[in-house]
Amino acid sequence: MYFEMLGQMKKVLGQLDKWLEAAGAHATAKSFDPNVFVGLRLAPDQFALARQVQVACDTAKLCASRLTGKEAPKQADDEQTLEQLRARAQSVIGYLDGFSAADFAGADTRQVTQPRWEGKFMLGADYFREHALPNFFFHTSHVYAILRHNGVPLGKKDFLGQLSLRTP
C-alpha cells in the first residue's frame, strides 16, 4: 500500500512541477517577473507559495524516510525562484524513485516521531493515514490554489494528471 501511495505522491509532485512551469509561462505571456509567485499566499496567516512547495516536498520525502527508517536528504529551504522550486520537486521525485515495495516491510508498526510531537509517536499506519497523506495533499492543493487564484490557467485535469483509463 505505501509503495503504491508513494507513486501517487510522485505523480502529484510531477504535476506540481508542471504547475510551476505553467506559472512561469503565464508570467512571461503577461510580461511580469515569474518569481513574484514565490511570495504569494491565499491568506495573510498562511505560508507563501515557496513554503507550500517546500512542505509538500518534505512531507513526501519524510513520509518515505520515516516509514522505511532510511535517512532523507536535507534541503536548505532557500528557494527563491520558480525554477529552484521546480528543481526541489524534481529532486524529491528522484529520491522517491529509490524506494521499492520491500523497503516498506514493517512500516505499519514502525514508531514514527518528530520533534514537535514532544516525545510522543505514531505507528506507521496511523502516521501515514492521519498525518502524511492529509498534510501532503493540503500543501499541494494550496500551491495549486495560489497559482489558480493568481491567473495561471490551470484546471482539474492539471491537478489530476494523466489517468489510467482503459477501454472495455
Side-chain angles (χ1 to χ4, degrees), residues 12-109:
V12 172
L13 287 174
Q15 291 308 113
L16 183 147
D17 178 43
K18 291 177 184 178
W19 308 336
L20 296 174
E21 181 180 33
H26 176 72
T28 299
K30 298 291 185 179
S31 300
F32 67 89
D33 179 2
N35 299 316
V36 166
F37 286 113
V38 173
L40 298 179
R41 60 186 77 227
L42 290 177
D45 64 343
Q46 289 186 323
F47 291 148
L49 181 110
R51 189 72 186 130
Q52 299 285 359
V53 171
Q54 291 163 350
V55 174
C57 288
D58 287 353
T59 299
K61 77 176 180 184
L62 291 173
C63 174
S65 172
R66 290 174 175 147
L67 290 175
T68 62
K70 294 185 176 189
E71 188 71 27
K74 301 213 183 306
Q75 294 172 299
D77 293 340
D78 59 358
E79 294 86 1
Q80 297 179 18
T81 68
L82 289 180
E83 287 307 312
Q84 290 170 336
L85 291 171
R86 291 186 66 206
R88 175 133 180 188
Q90 293 164 10
S91 74
V92 171
I93 292 168
Y95 172 69
L96 297 177
D97 281 339
F99 288 89
S100 70
D103 291 322
F104 293 90
D108 281 353
T109 56

Side-chain angles (χ1 to χ4, degrees), residues 111-134:
Q111 289 186 8
V112 175
T113 64
Q114 56 181 352
R116 70 174 184 261
W117 292 349
E118 301 173 348
K120 296 177 181 150
F121 70 90
M122 295 180 83
L123 294 178
D126 297 329
Y127 162 76
F128 184 72
R129 191 175 44 255
E130 297 173 20
H131 181 78
L133 275 182

Side-chain angles (χ1 to χ4, degrees), residues 114-158:
Q114 56 181 352
R116 70 174 184 261
W117 292 349
E118 301 173 348
K120 296 177 181 150
F121 70 90
M122 295 180 83
L123 294 178
D126 297 329
Y127 162 76
F128 184 72
R129 191 175 44 255
E130 297 173 20
H131 181 78
L133 275 182
N135 197 48
F136 176 76
F137 285 109
F138 177 87
H139 290 286
T140 54
S141 294
H142 276 75
V143 172
Y144 176 90
I146 290 167
L147 295 174
R148 183 78 174 94
H149 177 74
N150 285 283
V152 179
L154 299 171
K156 189 173 186 179
K157 287 182 180 181
D158 298 299

